[in-house]
Amino acid sequence: MGLKPLSCPECGEALKGEAGNGLVLGCTNNHYVGVKVDTHNVYSVPAQLVKPNQVDPKRKLVFLPFWVFNLFIDVSDRKIRGGGVWRFITGQKLLSGDSTMYVCAANLPEKNVDELSKHYSINNLPADSIISDIFREDFNKLPVIMDEETAYQHAHYIFLKNEFDASGTLQWIKYKFDLKGWRLVYLPFYMDQRSGTYDRII
């Protein structure tokens, strides 16, 4: 097996990813780079950082990576048995039309990944919370262990899971995703040092 050094396609800086750093690395010039492991190709990844509303200096602030997909979701047909009226009355949000879906790409238990992905896909971030082109050496960010292609497939799963979790019994659904764009976003969380869990602070 041959080894090939990886360098940032934007500035040429050598990428010194540590073991476990996943499929997306960052250089010190604020460029994020995806790595295709099978071919050793590297490619630029659009990335952003979300600022927390407030920071408690006594708690550990960690940024979790999410793939964000801007989509048009066309639900052309669905059949629900029971619960349809209750679904309408309670205002349970289903994803359709112009949508922004978030898929957590951190190395967390599957249940946590699904919960976080569903939460942010339904409750999108305020538009003014995203900071572009920000890189700080001192902020803690978890590795990105899922590439955007895998995350896109997971977005389909989150969409269907949301449909199944809504009231009533989903008997069938016909839908299509029209992908408009994608990016990597780091969201701020507090880490509980004892349990290792993460609390949303947005």
Side-chain angles (χ1 to χ4, degrees):
M1 180 177 72
L3 297 177
K4 182 179 178 181
L6 299 178
S7 59
C8 175
E10 297 289 329
C11 64
E13 179 179 308
L15 297 173
K16 302 175 182 177
E18 298 176 359
N21 255 16
L23 296 166
V24 174
L25 306 173
C27 77
T28 57
N29 294 314
N30 190 27
H31 302 132
Y32 289 89
V33 179
V35 180
K36 295 294 186 187
V37 179
D38 54 346
T39 62
H40 295 289
N41 290 333
V42 294
Y43 57 98
S44 297
V45 174
Q48 295 170 311
L49 177 71
V50 169
K51 62 182 178 183
N53 290 325
Q54 58 185 2
V55 176
D56 182 352
K58 297 178 181 177
R59 303 188 67 186
K60 182 176 181 181
L61 182 65
V62 178
F63 289 80
L64 303 187
F66 285 76
W67 290 107
V68 181
F69 300 100
N70 298 113
L71 306 159
F72 183 84
I73 303 176
D74 179 19
V75 180
S76 56
D77 192 19
R78 70 160 64 89
K79 183 175 181 181
I80 303 165
R81 188 164 83 180
V85 174
W86 182 248
R87 180 185 292 202
F88 176 77
I89 292 172
T90 58
Q92 287 175 288
K93 185 174 180 182
L94 299 179
L95 296 164
S96 65
D98 288 317
S99 303
T100 302
M101 294 195 66
Y102 289 72
V103 177
C104 182
N107 187 17
L108 300 177
E110 184 177 338
K111 179 182 178 183
N112 294 16
V113 167
D114 291 349
E115 288 176 349
L116 290 170
S117 300
K118 182 179 175 182
H119 173 82
Y120 283 109
S121 293
I122 293 174
N123 307 288
N124 287 177
L125 304 177
D128 62 353
S129 65
I130 293 178
I131 307 174
S132 298
D133 300 324
I134 291 293
F135 182 84
R136 296 204 319 269
E137 291 285 352
D138 60 339
F139 81 78
N140 298 306
K141 62 184 189 299
L142 264 61
V144 182
I145 66 158
M146 182 188 300
D147 65 17
E148 71 277 11
E149 294 174 9
T150 304
Y152 185 59
Q153 295 305 314
H154 200 75
H156 283 268
Y157 167 74
I158 295 299
F159 166 78
L160 291 171
K161 181 174 174 56
N162 186 52
E163 290 280 342
F164 279 110
D165 289 347
S167 60
T169 301
L170 181 67
Q171 294 187 308
W172 77 68
I173 185 169
K174 185 177 181 181
Y175 75 97
K176 182 174 72 173
F177 276 9
D178 182 10
L179 181 62
K180 304 294 186 181
W182 58 272
R183 65 191 186 279
L184 179 66
V185 171
Y186 285 95
L187 305 185
F189 290 75
Y190 287 128
M191 179 181 180
D192 187 314
Q193 304 270 18
R194 294 180 180 178
S195 65
T197 58
Y198 297 90
D199 298 326
R200 296 188 292 268
I201 63 171
I202 295 172

